[in-house]
Every structure is written in structure tokens, then in C-alpha cells.
Amino acid sequence: MTDAQETAADTTLRTTGGAPPDDVDSAPIPLLEPREGMPPVVADAEALARVVAAFAAGTGPVAVDAERASGYRYGQRAYLVQLRREGAGTALIDPVGCPDLSALGEAVADAEWVLHAATQDLPCLREIGMTPARLFDTELAGRLAGFARVGLGAMVENVLGYALEKGHSAVDWSTRPLPEPWLRYAALDVELLVDLRDALEEELDRQGKLEWARQEFDAIASAPPAPARKDPWRRTSGMHKVRRRRQMAVVRELWTARDHIAQRRDVSPGKVLGDAAIVEAALALPPNAHALAALPGFGHRMSRKQLEQWMAAVDRAKALPDAELPQPGQPLTGPPPPRAWADKDPVAAARLSAARTAVSELAERLTMPQENLITPDTVRRLCWEPPKVATPEAVAEVLSAHGARAWQVEQVTPVLVKALTDASA
């Protein structure tokens, strides 16, 4: 009996009687409690050893999820890890008390890990020693299968007929002790994840897309950690308003000072100083702390010491020699922004327009988002520097060189060859 069937048979897990709905139009059945009851939070080495043994002895895929404290704490570390496996039940692990979960990762190393939006959780799981060798991403599977709504709650409801309570997704998971309603929410997030995986695998197989999905999952599992972003201060919200290099230097100095303070205090940078305040200071170039205090975001609640530290950052930027000021915009490593193509290279702009139309039409026929069929960046790079002769072999080689998977190359090469050929005719 599957987890979903057991849940349906357990009337304590729903407010109304009867089995799960046979179709998605029926009212979903609320999931109120994990079927084995609430597991204790694992926060010490002895309890963790018991979980490791239980999951090593379990069978089949392992459902994995992690909760972070985005918007509350500095960085993206995990503050709760949830797992579920046949024969082991559900485990809730506190990475603060158990910061090294490599033994658990090794215990389930041979299993397929089932995650929802895997790329969001893998970085924080990697930090605590958990890295899957193979995985199944239920969100990505939903995209490839053509589902309009691919959030976990929507997928569980539409595919399995159950309603997950999603009220605690944005809470501060660094809170200790974690309230029981939050823990219940977290446990239920992995309750039916394997069932969702099985149903989506069947649907992908029915649509002839299962091999495509497997290639995508393999690519995620084998991808190296993302490199550190160059000049992250340039992503300050409202940065488009900042035009002059001296003003850019103010943004850089304030962003860097804020980041150091946020890291030291382990709080979200936005709680130290808002992006809007940084941009206001850059545009105004205030002459002193009194003028800085008059700007939005530097109001009466800010102490004199805080104002002085921000003013010191502004002064550092104002004192920089011209040669050390940041350049407007980052060095381009690829094609220019598409809006500039018509002026820079009208022929390339025509190629891009034709290619975009072709990809859009193909994605619609295959019922999946365009970006999952082929990344927009890959299409832009192909159209900006196409092969001299747009043969299927040449186009396929360019796509593969930019990271397209074999299934993507197979699907889009014919339509892109035609688009490039027609645009240059």
C-alpha cells in the first residue's frame, strides 16, 4: 500500500470521510497530521545516530526538504531538515544542534532523493554534508509535464487530491524552540513527496518525456556549486537609477559595509539597511551625517553611531580617485542585451526574433515553459554568433557547447535551423 493509500485509509488525517478524490475537480482532503504522529526534533548526536541507522535500513526513494530563514538571517543555511523513507518514517533534524549530517547523507547515498525545487535546497544541504548522487525534482517534473501551477501545495492537491497547509513557509526558521505548528507543517511537506514523484513519473512516461526529465535531474545532481557572484553590489534594488561612477562607488561602499555588519550580526542585510536607502544616499551624495539623516531610510530611529558608520562609507567613496571608481555596467561575457540588437546588428536581431517565435511555438506544442525547453541565454548566444552554415550538426554542436541536454538539442535543433535559415534568406 502506498503512502497516499494509507493516508486515505486513515480517517484521522482528514476532516471528511471517504477515499481520495478520483479527479482533481473534487474537494481536496486536508492533511492535518503525519500518519505516525509528530516525530521528535533530532538535535543531538545520539538521536542522530538512531535516525542514520533507521534511514540506512529503509527502502526506496528518500523525500528530502530543508527550511531556511531567508529575510531573517545572513546567508541561506538550513535551520531544519526533513526526511521521509519507507521503513524509516519521518525525521525532523535540527542542523544547529547537528551541524554535520554527512553520516546521514552517506546512509542514503544509494537512494534516489526526491526534492521539490531541488536547486533551492541543494546549496544549504551541501553545507551540512548532504549531496545526492541522483534525484527526482517534483517541481521540475511538473514543469516538463505541463502543469500550470508547480508549487508543492498545488501539485499535491492537483495530482494526489490532498491539501497541504502552507501558512508557515516564510517564518523565521532560526527560532528556537520551533513551535509545534511549524514542525507539523514541515513534516507534512515530505509526507506525500514520494507519492507525488511516482505519479509524476507515470505522467511523464505517458507523455514520452520521462527520459527528458531524467537528463534534467542528472544535470542538477552533477552540477558543481555555483561560483561566487561578481560585484554582487550591482544587484542592489533600484540600481538602474544610479548613473554616475561616483554614485556607483557610494552604492558599493554602503553595500559592502552593510554586508560585513549583517554577517557579523547574522541577520538579513535588508534588516541592517534597505536597498532603497543605499540608492538614496548614492543619488544625494550627502555632505555630512546631518544631511544623511534627512534621507529616506536614515530616519530618527537610527543612532548617531550608525549614521556615522554609514557616512564614513559615503566619505570613502567620495575620496576615491577617478581611476578606482567602478565602471558603469559589468563586462559582457556574451551577447549584448536584446534591446540593443536592432541597432548593433539588425540581421542578428532578425535571427533572434525568428528563433524566439520558433521556440515559443514548439514549447506550446510540447506543453512546457520555453525556458525549460531551452534557456533564453542559449538561444541568444546561438543567434548572436551562429555557425557559418546553419546545418543541423553545426547548430547542435553550438547548443551542446552552451550546456543544452541531449533531449533539448534533439527537440529544438530542427526548428532553430529553419529559423536561422529563413531569417538569413
Side-chain angles (χ1 to χ4, degrees):
M1 182 180 287
T2 68
D3 277 359
Q5 289 169 332
E6 289 180 12
T7 302
D10 186 351
T11 57
T12 64
L13 299 188
R14 55 184 189 272
T15 56
T16 58
D22 293 327
D23 59 80
V24 297
D25 294 328
S26 302
I29 299 171
L31 279 185
L32 304 180
E33 294 281 346
R35 79 176 49 79
E36 296 98 357
M38 279 296 299
V41 176
V42 174
D44 59 61
E46 184 178 346
L48 178 60
R50 290 194 295 269
V51 168
V52 169
F55 274 79
T59 59
V62 55
V64 183
D65 191 20
E67 306 295 346
R68 300 175 297 279
S70 303
Y72 297 94
R73 295 288 183 175
Y74 185 87
Q76 293 295 315
R77 66 170 293 186
Y79 282 95
L80 187 70
V81 176
Q82 310 99 278
L83 303 96
R84 181 174 180 81
R85 193 180 193 188
E86 183 70 29
T90 298
L92 302 178
I93 303 174
D94 179 2
V96 177
C98 302
D100 182 4
L101 298 187
S102 55
L104 179 59
E106 292 170 5
V108 294
D110 294 335
E112 177 189 79
W113 295 22
V114 184
L115 302 100
H116 192 83
T119 54
Q120 294 183 20
D121 287 341
L122 287 179
C124 70
L125 290 170
R126 188 180 289 116
E127 287 180 358
I128 53 179
M130 297 187 67
T131 304
R134 55 194 178 98
L135 60 84
F136 190 106
D137 186 332
T138 50
E139 186 210 40
L140 181 52
R143 291 180 181 276
L144 296 175
F147 284 84
R149 298 166 60 220
V150 293
L152 180 59
M155 294 292 288
V156 168
E157 182 174 328
N158 293 336
V159 177
L160 301 178
Y162 292 96
L164 293 177
E165 194 248 312
K166 300 299 291 183
H168 304 299
S169 59
V171 298
D172 181 2
W173 287 95
S174 67
T175 300
R176 292 296 183 272
L178 286 165
E180 185 169 330
W182 298 11
L183 294 171
R184 185 181 301 109
Y185 154 88
L188 290 175
D189 262 4
V190 293
E191 183 80 4
L192 296 180
L193 204 51
V194 173
D195 293 272
L196 180 61
R197 171 237 181 269
D198 293 344
L200 289 171
E201 181 180 61
E202 184 177 335
E203 177 60 21
L204 288 167
D205 191 34
R206 186 187 70 81
Q207 295 185 23
K209 299 175 180 177
L210 184 55
E211 176 56 28
W212 304 357
R214 286 173 175 159
Q215 291 181 31
E216 292 297 302
F217 302 155
D218 288 346
I220 295 173
S222 61
R229 180 175 282 121
K230 180 178 173 59
D231 291 346
W233 58 271
R234 292 184 185 272
R235 295 176 64 85
T236 303
S237 180
M239 188 70 191
H240 63 281
K241 302 175 186 176
V242 182
R243 303 291 185 181
R244 292 157 50 194
R245 293 174 64 201
R246 184 72 58 186
Q247 294 172 329
M248 292 179 183
V250 172
V251 173
R252 183 175 63 185
E253 291 295 329
L254 284 172
W255 189 98
T256 302
R258 179 184 71 174
D259 194 65
H260 289 159
I261 294 168
Q263 188 171 13
R264 186 177 71 247
R265 291 170 50 189
D266 189 19
V267 296
S268 169
K271 290 188 175 295
V272 176
L273 186 68
D275 280 10
I278 290 178
V279 171
E280 288 288 344
L283 295 176
L285 294 174
N288 51 50
H290 180 73
L292 180 66
L295 297 176
F298 297 91
H300 63 280
R301 294 183 180 179
M302 191 169 286
S303 68
R304 181 170 183 80
K305 181 180 179 181
Q306 289 174 313
L307 279 171
E308 288 175 351
Q309 73 182 2
W310 301 129
M311 192 62 222
V314 174
D315 288 340
R316 286 194 297 272
K318 292 164 79 172
L320 285 174
D322 288 351
E324 295 181 22
L325 296 177
Q327 295 296 325
Q330 295 171 287
L332 287 174
T333 57
R339 62 179 179 273
W341 285 33
D343 293 330
K344 290 179 177 291
D345 189 338
V347 176
R351 286 195 297 264
L352 181 60
S353 177
R356 282 174 161 175
T357 299
V359 169
S360 177
E361 292 174 350
L362 179 57
E364 188 172 348
R365 291 198 299 273
L366 295 174
T367 62
M368 70 172 63
Q370 297 178 45
E371 63 269 21
N372 293 116
L373 175 58
I374 190 74
T375 66
D377 181 67
T378 299
V379 175
R380 287 195 294 270
R381 290 174 183 270
L382 170 69
C383 292
W384 188 250
E385 293 183 348
K388 291 182 178 179
V389 181
T391 63
E393 295 76 17
V395 169
E397 184 178 353
V398 172
L399 296 177
S400 298
H402 290 307
R405 264 70 71 189
W407 76 270
Q408 295 175 314
V409 173
E410 180 183 3
Q411 292 299 314
V412 303
T413 293
V415 299
L416 288 176
V417 167
K418 185 177 187 306
L420 294 176
T421 302
D422 291 350
S424 60

